[in-house]
Each structure stands twice: as structure tokens, then as C-alpha cells.
Short mmCIF file of all heavy atoms in Angstrom, two decimals:
data_model
loop_
_atom_site.label_atom_id
_atom_site.label_comp_id
_atom_site.label_asym_id
_atom_site.label_seq_id
_atom_site.Cartn_x
_atom_site.Cartn_y
_atom_site.Cartn_z
N MET A 1 46.32 -40.74 0.86
CA MET A 1 45.17 -41.50 0.41
C MET A 1 44.04 -41.27 1.46
O MET A 1 44.19 -41.45 2.62
CB MET A 1 45.60 -42.96 0.41
CG MET A 1 44.51 -43.86 -0.11
SD MET A 1 44.89 -45.61 -0.24
CE MET A 1 46.60 -45.77 -0.49
N ASP A 2 42.89 -40.93 0.92
CA ASP A 2 41.71 -40.66 1.71
C ASP A 2 40.98 -41.91 1.99
O ASP A 2 40.80 -42.79 1.08
CB ASP A 2 40.79 -39.64 1.06
CG ASP A 2 41.31 -38.27 1.09
OD1 ASP A 2 42.10 -37.93 2.02
OD2 ASP A 2 40.92 -37.46 0.16
N GLU A 3 40.51 -42.13 3.21
CA GLU A 3 39.64 -43.21 3.55
C GLU A 3 38.33 -42.73 3.97
O GLU A 3 38.17 -41.59 4.50
CB GLU A 3 40.26 -44.04 4.69
CG GLU A 3 41.53 -44.77 4.40
CD GLU A 3 41.98 -45.61 5.59
OE1 GLU A 3 42.09 -45.06 6.68
OE2 GLU A 3 42.32 -46.78 5.31
N TYR A 4 37.28 -43.52 3.73
CA TYR A 4 35.91 -43.11 4.09
C TYR A 4 35.08 -44.35 4.30
O TYR A 4 35.51 -45.48 3.90
CB TYR A 4 35.34 -42.19 3.00
CG TYR A 4 35.37 -42.83 1.65
CD1 TYR A 4 34.35 -43.66 1.13
CD2 TYR A 4 36.49 -42.67 0.81
CE1 TYR A 4 34.44 -44.20 -0.17
CE2 TYR A 4 36.57 -43.22 -0.46
CZ TYR A 4 35.50 -44.00 -0.93
OH TYR A 4 35.61 -44.59 -2.18
N LEU A 5 33.89 -44.17 4.87
CA LEU A 5 32.97 -45.28 5.06
C LEU A 5 32.06 -45.28 3.81
O LEU A 5 31.65 -44.18 3.36
CB LEU A 5 32.17 -45.09 6.32
CG LEU A 5 32.93 -45.27 7.62
CD1 LEU A 5 32.10 -44.77 8.74
CD2 LEU A 5 33.40 -46.67 7.88
N LEU A 6 31.74 -46.43 3.30
CA LEU A 6 30.96 -46.53 2.12
C LEU A 6 29.85 -47.59 2.34
O LEU A 6 30.10 -48.72 2.82
CB LEU A 6 31.82 -46.98 0.90
CG LEU A 6 31.07 -47.20 -0.43
CD1 LEU A 6 30.62 -45.89 -0.99
CD2 LEU A 6 31.95 -47.99 -1.39
N CYS A 7 28.62 -47.19 1.93
CA CYS A 7 27.50 -48.16 1.85
C CYS A 7 27.59 -48.83 0.50
O CYS A 7 27.56 -48.20 -0.50
CB CYS A 7 26.16 -47.42 2.00
SG CYS A 7 24.73 -48.52 1.75
N GLU A 8 27.71 -50.14 0.52
CA GLU A 8 27.83 -50.88 -0.72
C GLU A 8 26.51 -51.09 -1.42
O GLU A 8 26.47 -51.57 -2.55
CB GLU A 8 28.57 -52.24 -0.46
CG GLU A 8 30.00 -52.04 -0.01
CD GLU A 8 30.75 -53.34 0.20
OE1 GLU A 8 30.15 -54.33 0.62
OE2 GLU A 8 31.99 -53.35 -0.10
N VAL A 9 25.44 -50.76 -0.80
CA VAL A 9 24.13 -50.81 -1.41
C VAL A 9 23.85 -49.59 -2.31
O VAL A 9 23.48 -49.67 -3.49
CB VAL A 9 22.95 -51.04 -0.43
CG1 VAL A 9 21.60 -51.01 -1.05
CG2 VAL A 9 23.18 -52.38 0.32
N CYS A 10 24.04 -48.35 -1.70
CA CYS A 10 23.66 -47.12 -2.44
C CYS A 10 24.85 -46.22 -2.69
O CYS A 10 24.71 -45.11 -3.25
CB CYS A 10 22.59 -46.43 -1.66
SG CYS A 10 23.20 -45.62 -0.14
N SER A 11 26.05 -46.66 -2.29
CA SER A 11 27.28 -45.84 -2.54
C SER A 11 27.39 -44.58 -1.68
O SER A 11 28.19 -43.66 -2.02
CB SER A 11 27.52 -45.54 -4.02
OG SER A 11 27.60 -46.73 -4.71
N GLU A 12 26.57 -44.42 -0.63
CA GLU A 12 26.71 -43.22 0.21
C GLU A 12 28.02 -43.30 0.96
O GLU A 12 28.41 -44.36 1.44
CB GLU A 12 25.53 -43.16 1.17
CG GLU A 12 25.67 -41.91 2.13
CD GLU A 12 24.46 -41.67 2.98
OE1 GLU A 12 23.41 -42.10 2.63
OE2 GLU A 12 24.69 -41.09 4.03
N LYS A 13 28.69 -42.14 1.04
CA LYS A 13 29.97 -42.05 1.69
C LYS A 13 29.84 -41.23 2.99
O LYS A 13 29.07 -40.25 2.95
CB LYS A 13 31.04 -41.34 0.89
CG LYS A 13 31.31 -42.13 -0.44
CD LYS A 13 32.35 -41.32 -1.24
CE LYS A 13 32.60 -41.98 -2.62
NZ LYS A 13 33.62 -41.24 -3.37
N LYS A 14 30.56 -41.63 4.04
CA LYS A 14 30.65 -40.88 5.25
C LYS A 14 32.05 -40.84 5.74
O LYS A 14 32.80 -41.72 5.49
CB LYS A 14 29.74 -41.55 6.31
CG LYS A 14 28.26 -41.46 6.09
CD LYS A 14 27.55 -42.03 7.28
CE LYS A 14 26.04 -41.96 7.08
NZ LYS A 14 25.28 -42.42 8.23
N PRO A 15 32.44 -39.77 6.44
CA PRO A 15 33.79 -39.75 7.01
C PRO A 15 33.94 -40.78 8.12
O PRO A 15 32.93 -41.08 8.80
CB PRO A 15 33.92 -38.30 7.54
CG PRO A 15 32.55 -37.78 7.65
CD PRO A 15 31.68 -38.54 6.71
N ILE A 16 35.13 -41.28 8.27
CA ILE A 16 35.42 -42.20 9.37
C ILE A 16 35.45 -41.38 10.63
O ILE A 16 36.13 -40.39 10.64
CB ILE A 16 36.73 -42.98 9.09
CG1 ILE A 16 36.58 -43.81 7.79
CG2 ILE A 16 37.08 -43.92 10.24
CD1 ILE A 16 37.92 -44.38 7.34
N PRO A 17 34.86 -41.91 11.71
CA PRO A 17 34.92 -41.18 13.00
C PRO A 17 36.35 -41.01 13.43
O PRO A 17 37.23 -41.79 13.17
CB PRO A 17 34.11 -42.07 13.95
CG PRO A 17 33.29 -42.92 13.11
CD PRO A 17 34.06 -43.10 11.84
N GLN A 18 36.56 -39.94 14.27
CA GLN A 18 37.84 -39.66 14.87
C GLN A 18 37.75 -39.85 16.35
O GLN A 18 36.69 -39.78 16.93
CB GLN A 18 38.29 -38.26 14.56
CG GLN A 18 38.63 -38.00 13.13
CD GLN A 18 39.34 -36.68 12.92
OE1 GLN A 18 39.50 -35.91 13.89
NE2 GLN A 18 39.69 -36.39 11.70
N HIS A 19 38.89 -40.21 16.96
CA HIS A 19 39.01 -40.32 18.39
C HIS A 19 40.41 -39.82 18.78
O HIS A 19 41.40 -40.22 18.08
CB HIS A 19 38.74 -41.72 18.83
CG HIS A 19 38.41 -41.89 20.28
ND1 HIS A 19 39.28 -42.00 21.27
CD2 HIS A 19 37.16 -41.93 20.88
CE1 HIS A 19 38.68 -42.10 22.44
NE2 HIS A 19 37.40 -42.08 22.18
N CYS A 20 40.57 -39.05 19.77
CA CYS A 20 41.85 -38.47 20.16
C CYS A 20 42.50 -37.73 19.05
O CYS A 20 43.72 -37.77 18.87
CB CYS A 20 42.78 -39.52 20.70
SG CYS A 20 42.20 -40.26 22.31
N GLY A 21 41.69 -37.10 18.20
CA GLY A 21 42.21 -36.22 17.09
C GLY A 21 42.67 -36.95 15.79
O GLY A 21 43.19 -36.35 14.96
N LYS A 22 42.49 -38.23 15.77
CA LYS A 22 42.95 -39.04 14.59
C LYS A 22 41.82 -39.96 14.19
O LYS A 22 40.98 -40.37 15.00
CB LYS A 22 44.14 -39.81 14.86
CG LYS A 22 45.40 -38.98 15.10
CD LYS A 22 46.68 -39.78 15.11
CE LYS A 22 47.87 -38.84 15.41
NZ LYS A 22 49.12 -39.57 15.39
N VAL A 23 41.85 -40.37 12.90
CA VAL A 23 40.82 -41.26 12.34
C VAL A 23 40.99 -42.63 12.96
O VAL A 23 42.09 -43.14 13.21
CB VAL A 23 41.04 -41.42 10.81
CG1 VAL A 23 40.13 -42.42 10.18
CG2 VAL A 23 40.82 -40.00 10.19
N MET A 24 39.83 -43.19 13.32
CA MET A 24 39.82 -44.57 13.89
C MET A 24 40.14 -45.58 12.84
O MET A 24 40.02 -45.30 11.63
CB MET A 24 38.44 -44.80 14.51
CG MET A 24 38.12 -43.91 15.64
SD MET A 24 36.46 -44.18 16.34
CE MET A 24 36.90 -45.32 17.65
N HIS A 25 40.53 -46.79 13.21
CA HIS A 25 40.91 -47.84 12.27
C HIS A 25 40.06 -49.11 12.60
O HIS A 25 39.53 -49.20 13.70
CB HIS A 25 42.41 -48.13 12.31
CG HIS A 25 42.87 -48.76 13.60
ND1 HIS A 25 43.27 -47.99 14.69
CD2 HIS A 25 43.05 -50.03 13.94
CE1 HIS A 25 43.59 -48.76 15.69
NE2 HIS A 25 43.51 -50.09 15.26
N LEU A 26 40.02 -50.00 11.64
CA LEU A 26 39.26 -51.25 11.76
C LEU A 26 40.10 -52.29 12.46
O LEU A 26 41.32 -52.50 12.05
CB LEU A 26 38.84 -51.68 10.41
CG LEU A 26 37.55 -52.44 10.26
CD1 LEU A 26 36.37 -51.68 10.89
CD2 LEU A 26 37.26 -52.61 8.77
N GLU A 27 39.54 -52.97 13.41
CA GLU A 27 40.28 -54.04 14.14
C GLU A 27 39.22 -55.01 14.69
O GLU A 27 38.12 -54.59 15.00
CB GLU A 27 41.08 -53.37 15.26
CG GLU A 27 42.09 -54.25 15.93
CD GLU A 27 42.86 -53.39 16.96
OE1 GLU A 27 43.48 -52.41 16.57
OE2 GLU A 27 42.87 -53.76 18.08
N MET A 28 39.64 -56.28 14.85
CA MET A 28 38.73 -57.24 15.52
C MET A 28 38.81 -56.99 17.04
O MET A 28 39.88 -56.75 17.60
CB MET A 28 39.23 -58.65 15.29
CG MET A 28 39.00 -59.15 13.86
SD MET A 28 37.30 -59.12 13.34
CE MET A 28 36.63 -60.55 14.16
N TYR A 29 37.61 -56.87 17.63
CA TYR A 29 37.48 -56.52 19.03
C TYR A 29 36.33 -57.40 19.57
O TYR A 29 35.21 -57.26 19.06
CB TYR A 29 37.23 -55.05 19.25
CG TYR A 29 37.11 -54.68 20.70
CD1 TYR A 29 38.16 -54.61 21.56
CD2 TYR A 29 35.85 -54.38 21.23
CE1 TYR A 29 38.00 -54.26 22.89
CE2 TYR A 29 35.66 -54.05 22.56
CZ TYR A 29 36.80 -53.97 23.40
OH TYR A 29 36.63 -53.63 24.70
N GLN A 30 36.64 -58.21 20.50
CA GLN A 30 35.66 -59.21 21.05
C GLN A 30 34.88 -59.94 19.99
O GLN A 30 33.67 -60.02 20.02
CB GLN A 30 34.72 -58.46 22.01
CG GLN A 30 35.42 -57.82 23.20
CD GLN A 30 34.51 -57.08 24.14
OE1 GLN A 30 33.35 -56.78 23.85
NE2 GLN A 30 35.04 -56.75 25.32
N GLY A 31 35.62 -60.42 19.00
CA GLY A 31 35.07 -61.22 17.91
C GLY A 31 34.29 -60.51 16.89
O GLY A 31 33.60 -61.10 16.03
N LYS A 32 34.36 -59.23 16.80
CA LYS A 32 33.58 -58.37 15.90
C LYS A 32 34.50 -57.29 15.33
O LYS A 32 35.33 -56.71 16.02
CB LYS A 32 32.45 -57.77 16.65
CG LYS A 32 31.37 -57.12 15.82
CD LYS A 32 30.23 -56.71 16.72
CE LYS A 32 29.11 -56.00 16.02
NZ LYS A 32 28.07 -55.53 16.88
N GLU A 33 34.31 -56.94 13.98
CA GLU A 33 35.05 -55.84 13.46
C GLU A 33 34.51 -54.51 14.00
O GLU A 33 33.31 -54.29 13.93
CB GLU A 33 34.89 -55.82 11.90
CG GLU A 33 35.96 -56.54 11.19
CD GLU A 33 35.99 -56.22 9.70
OE1 GLU A 33 34.89 -56.02 9.11
OE2 GLU A 33 37.01 -56.19 9.17
N MET A 34 35.47 -53.72 14.59
CA MET A 34 34.97 -52.47 15.21
C MET A 34 35.93 -51.35 14.84
O MET A 34 37.09 -51.64 14.40
CB MET A 34 35.04 -52.63 16.77
CG MET A 34 34.20 -53.78 17.32
SD MET A 34 32.45 -53.41 17.42
CE MET A 34 32.42 -52.47 18.89
N LEU A 35 35.51 -50.12 15.02
CA LEU A 35 36.43 -48.97 14.79
C LEU A 35 37.03 -48.74 16.13
O LEU A 35 36.49 -48.73 17.19
CB LEU A 35 35.56 -47.75 14.46
CG LEU A 35 34.97 -47.76 13.07
CD1 LEU A 35 33.97 -46.67 12.87
CD2 LEU A 35 36.01 -47.75 11.97
N ILE A 36 38.44 -48.69 16.13
CA ILE A 36 39.22 -48.57 17.31
C ILE A 36 40.07 -47.28 17.26
O ILE A 36 40.57 -46.90 16.22
CB ILE A 36 40.21 -49.76 17.38
CG1 ILE A 36 39.46 -51.08 17.33
CG2 ILE A 36 41.05 -49.69 18.62
CD1 ILE A 36 38.56 -51.40 18.48
N CYS A 37 40.21 -46.63 18.38
CA CYS A 37 41.09 -45.41 18.50
C CYS A 37 42.52 -45.78 18.18
O CYS A 37 42.99 -46.92 18.48
CB CYS A 37 40.98 -44.86 19.88
SG CYS A 37 42.06 -43.47 20.20
N TRP A 38 43.28 -44.85 17.61
CA TRP A 38 44.69 -45.16 17.31
C TRP A 38 45.51 -45.41 18.61
O TRP A 38 46.57 -45.96 18.54
CB TRP A 38 45.30 -44.01 16.54
CG TRP A 38 45.46 -42.68 17.28
CD1 TRP A 38 44.51 -41.78 17.50
CD2 TRP A 38 46.57 -42.23 17.98
NE1 TRP A 38 44.96 -40.74 18.25
CE2 TRP A 38 46.28 -40.97 18.52
CE3 TRP A 38 47.89 -42.70 18.09
CZ2 TRP A 38 47.18 -40.22 19.31
CZ3 TRP A 38 48.81 -41.99 18.84
CH2 TRP A 38 48.43 -40.76 19.37
N MET A 39 44.95 -44.98 19.79
CA MET A 39 45.63 -45.23 20.98
C MET A 39 45.26 -46.60 21.60
O MET A 39 45.81 -47.06 22.57
CB MET A 39 45.16 -44.19 22.05
CG MET A 39 45.49 -42.77 21.71
SD MET A 39 47.23 -42.45 22.07
CE MET A 39 47.24 -42.45 23.83
N GLY A 40 44.36 -47.35 20.90
CA GLY A 40 44.00 -48.69 21.31
C GLY A 40 42.60 -48.85 21.81
O GLY A 40 41.89 -47.84 22.07
N SER A 41 42.17 -50.09 22.02
CA SER A 41 40.77 -50.36 22.40
C SER A 41 40.44 -49.96 23.85
O SER A 41 39.31 -49.77 24.14
CB SER A 41 40.51 -51.81 22.20
OG SER A 41 41.36 -52.64 23.10
N THR A 42 41.45 -49.74 24.67
CA THR A 42 41.13 -49.25 26.05
C THR A 42 40.79 -47.73 25.99
O THR A 42 40.23 -47.27 26.94
CB THR A 42 42.35 -49.49 26.97
OG1 THR A 42 43.49 -48.84 26.43
CG2 THR A 42 42.59 -50.92 27.16
N CYS A 43 41.12 -47.08 24.91
CA CYS A 43 40.80 -45.64 24.82
C CYS A 43 39.42 -45.46 24.11
O CYS A 43 38.61 -44.63 24.64
CB CYS A 43 41.91 -44.99 23.98
SG CYS A 43 41.70 -43.19 23.98
N GLY A 44 39.17 -46.08 23.01
CA GLY A 44 37.94 -45.80 22.28
C GLY A 44 37.57 -46.93 21.34
O GLY A 44 38.42 -47.38 20.61
N VAL A 45 36.33 -47.38 21.40
CA VAL A 45 35.81 -48.43 20.55
C VAL A 45 34.41 -48.03 20.10
O VAL A 45 33.64 -47.47 20.89
CB VAL A 45 35.68 -49.83 21.29
CG1 VAL A 45 35.06 -50.84 20.42
CG2 VAL A 45 37.03 -50.26 21.78
N GLN A 46 34.11 -48.27 18.81
CA GLN A 46 32.79 -47.85 18.27
C GLN A 46 32.40 -48.90 17.17
O GLN A 46 33.24 -49.34 16.44
CB GLN A 46 32.98 -46.45 17.69
CG GLN A 46 31.74 -45.87 17.10
CD GLN A 46 32.02 -44.44 16.67
OE1 GLN A 46 32.68 -43.68 17.34
NE2 GLN A 46 31.52 -44.04 15.52
N GLU A 47 31.11 -49.22 17.15
CA GLU A 47 30.63 -50.07 16.09
C GLU A 47 30.65 -49.38 14.75
O GLU A 47 30.44 -48.14 14.72
CB GLU A 47 29.22 -50.58 16.39
CG GLU A 47 29.16 -51.56 17.51
CD GLU A 47 27.88 -52.37 17.55
OE1 GLU A 47 27.24 -52.51 16.47
OE2 GLU A 47 27.52 -52.84 18.65
N LEU A 48 30.86 -50.14 13.69
CA LEU A 48 30.71 -49.56 12.35
C LEU A 48 29.27 -49.07 12.12
O LEU A 48 28.28 -49.75 12.53
CB LEU A 48 30.99 -50.66 11.30
CG LEU A 48 32.46 -50.88 11.00
CD1 LEU A 48 32.56 -52.21 10.19
CD2 LEU A 48 33.05 -49.78 10.30
N PRO A 49 29.10 -47.93 11.52
CA PRO A 49 27.76 -47.44 11.26
C PRO A 49 27.09 -48.41 10.25
O PRO A 49 27.75 -49.01 9.43
CB PRO A 49 27.96 -46.08 10.63
CG PRO A 49 29.40 -45.79 10.67
CD PRO A 49 30.09 -46.97 11.12
N TYR A 50 25.74 -48.50 10.38
CA TYR A 50 24.98 -49.27 9.40
C TYR A 50 24.22 -48.40 8.45
O TYR A 50 23.81 -47.27 8.85
CB TYR A 50 23.96 -50.13 10.20
CG TYR A 50 24.55 -51.44 10.68
CD1 TYR A 50 25.52 -51.51 11.62
CD2 TYR A 50 24.07 -52.64 10.15
CE1 TYR A 50 26.05 -52.69 12.10
CE2 TYR A 50 24.56 -53.87 10.64
CZ TYR A 50 25.56 -53.88 11.59
OH TYR A 50 26.08 -55.05 11.99
N HIS A 51 24.05 -48.86 7.26
CA HIS A 51 23.22 -48.16 6.22
C HIS A 51 22.57 -49.23 5.43
O HIS A 51 23.29 -50.20 5.01
CB HIS A 51 24.15 -47.23 5.43
CG HIS A 51 23.39 -46.18 4.72
ND1 HIS A 51 23.01 -46.23 3.37
CD2 HIS A 51 22.92 -44.99 5.16
CE1 HIS A 51 22.42 -45.14 3.07
NE2 HIS A 51 22.33 -44.34 4.15
N HIS A 52 21.28 -49.15 5.20
CA HIS A 52 20.52 -50.16 4.52
C HIS A 52 20.68 -51.55 5.27
O HIS A 52 20.83 -52.60 4.64
CB HIS A 52 20.94 -50.34 3.03
CG HIS A 52 20.51 -49.17 2.24
ND1 HIS A 52 19.22 -48.95 1.74
CD2 HIS A 52 21.26 -48.09 1.78
CE1 HIS A 52 19.24 -47.83 1.07
NE2 HIS A 52 20.43 -47.31 1.07
N ASN A 53 20.72 -51.49 6.63
CA ASN A 53 20.79 -52.65 7.48
C ASN A 53 22.06 -53.42 7.26
O ASN A 53 22.10 -54.68 7.55
CB ASN A 53 19.55 -53.48 7.32
CG ASN A 53 18.29 -52.82 7.74
OD1 ASN A 53 18.29 -52.12 8.79
ND2 ASN A 53 17.20 -52.97 7.01
N GLN A 54 23.10 -52.84 6.75
CA GLN A 54 24.35 -53.50 6.57
C GLN A 54 25.53 -52.59 7.08
O GLN A 54 25.42 -51.36 6.96
CB GLN A 54 24.66 -53.80 5.13
CG GLN A 54 23.65 -54.84 4.50
CD GLN A 54 24.00 -55.13 3.09
OE1 GLN A 54 25.01 -54.71 2.56
NE2 GLN A 54 23.14 -55.86 2.40
N PRO A 55 26.53 -53.20 7.67
CA PRO A 55 27.64 -52.31 8.15
C PRO A 55 28.33 -51.70 6.96
O PRO A 55 28.55 -52.34 5.89
CB PRO A 55 28.59 -53.34 8.87
CG PRO A 55 28.26 -54.70 8.29
CD PRO A 55 26.80 -54.60 7.88
N MET A 56 28.68 -50.46 7.13
CA MET A 56 29.42 -49.74 6.12
C MET A 56 30.92 -50.31 6.03
O MET A 56 31.36 -50.86 7.04
CB MET A 56 29.46 -48.22 6.35
CG MET A 56 28.02 -47.69 6.28
SD MET A 56 28.00 -45.88 6.52
CE MET A 56 28.23 -45.29 4.86
N LYS A 57 31.53 -50.15 4.90
CA LYS A 57 32.89 -50.63 4.72
C LYS A 57 33.87 -49.43 4.60
O LYS A 57 33.46 -48.34 4.11
CB LYS A 57 32.95 -51.51 3.42
CG LYS A 57 32.06 -52.63 3.38
CD LYS A 57 32.42 -53.73 4.30
CE LYS A 57 31.47 -54.88 4.18
NZ LYS A 57 31.70 -55.94 5.12
N ILE A 58 35.09 -49.63 5.03
CA ILE A 58 36.13 -48.63 4.87
C ILE A 58 36.74 -48.80 3.49
O ILE A 58 37.14 -49.91 3.09
CB ILE A 58 37.18 -48.74 5.95
CG1 ILE A 58 36.60 -48.32 7.34
CG2 ILE A 58 38.37 -47.81 5.62
CD1 ILE A 58 37.60 -48.37 8.44
N LYS A 59 36.77 -47.72 2.73
CA LYS A 59 37.30 -47.77 1.37
C LYS A 59 38.40 -46.67 1.23
O LYS A 59 38.41 -45.68 1.96
CB LYS A 59 36.24 -47.49 0.36
CG LYS A 59 35.07 -48.49 0.29
CD LYS A 59 35.66 -49.87 -0.17
CE LYS A 59 34.56 -50.87 -0.22
NZ LYS A 59 35.00 -52.15 -0.75
N HIS A 60 39.24 -46.87 0.25
CA HIS A 60 40.37 -45.85 -0.05
C HIS A 60 40.08 -45.23 -1.40
O HIS A 60 39.63 -45.96 -2.36
CB HIS A 60 41.68 -46.66 -0.07
CG HIS A 60 41.93 -47.47 1.09
ND1 HIS A 60 42.40 -47.06 2.26
CD2 HIS A 60 41.73 -48.81 1.28
CE1 HIS A 60 42.49 -48.01 3.16
NE2 HIS A 60 42.13 -49.20 2.50
N SER A 61 40.38 -43.93 -1.51
CA SER A 61 40.15 -43.31 -2.77
C SER A 61 41.48 -43.22 -3.53
O SER A 61 42.50 -43.39 -2.98
CB SER A 61 39.54 -41.97 -2.62
OG SER A 61 40.29 -41.13 -1.80
#
């Protein structure tokens, strides 16, 4: 199953960023939904990209 980032305003799709060779996943980090490395938050943390001033959502195809 493919996952991607989706703008819910205009339906633009972007690939989910990778860290340590694997796709990052969504997790609560310091009270905020963030993209986290599969190795954990001590390895890599990144904010969700914004499009149309709203955070993009992870969707499955």
C-alpha cells in the first residue's frame, strides 16, 4: 500500500520524506503531530509540510 502526503484543499500529492532509508511515520512529539524516523524521535523529527497554509495529511492509496 502506497502512502503519500495530500493537500486536502487542492489534492496535491507529495512523497513522504525518508530518514535512514525508510519512510517517516506520523507520531505525537512534544504535543504536536510530527514526521518521525523509523529509528525514533532521537534520530529524526520533521514538521509536516504545509500547503495552502494547512498541514498536509498522510493518505493511503
Side-chain angles (χ1 to χ4, degrees):
M1 184 179 332
D2 287 334
E3 291 185 312
Y4 53 90
L5 293 168
L6 177 71
C7 173
E8 293 184 324
V9 174
C10 72
S11 299
E12 181 171 332
K13 295 179 184 179
K14 290 185 178 184
I16 299 172
Q18 292 191 359
H19 200 274
C20 295
K22 293 189 181 183
V23 174
M24 298 177 91
H25 67 276
L26 211 52
E27 192 176 303
M28 288 301 285
Y29 179 75
Q30 297 180 347
K32 191 174 178 183
E33 268 193 326
M34 304 281 279
L35 292 169
I36 307 291
C37 176
W38 69 277
M39 297 282 290
S41 60
T42 57
C43 186
V45 176
Q46 182 174 319
E47 287 199 26
L48 278 167
Y50 274 67
H51 202 258
H52 292 280
N53 296 319
Q54 294 183 8
M56 297 182 86
K57 304 288 182 185
I58 292 181
K59 298 292 180 177
H60 310 279
S61 60

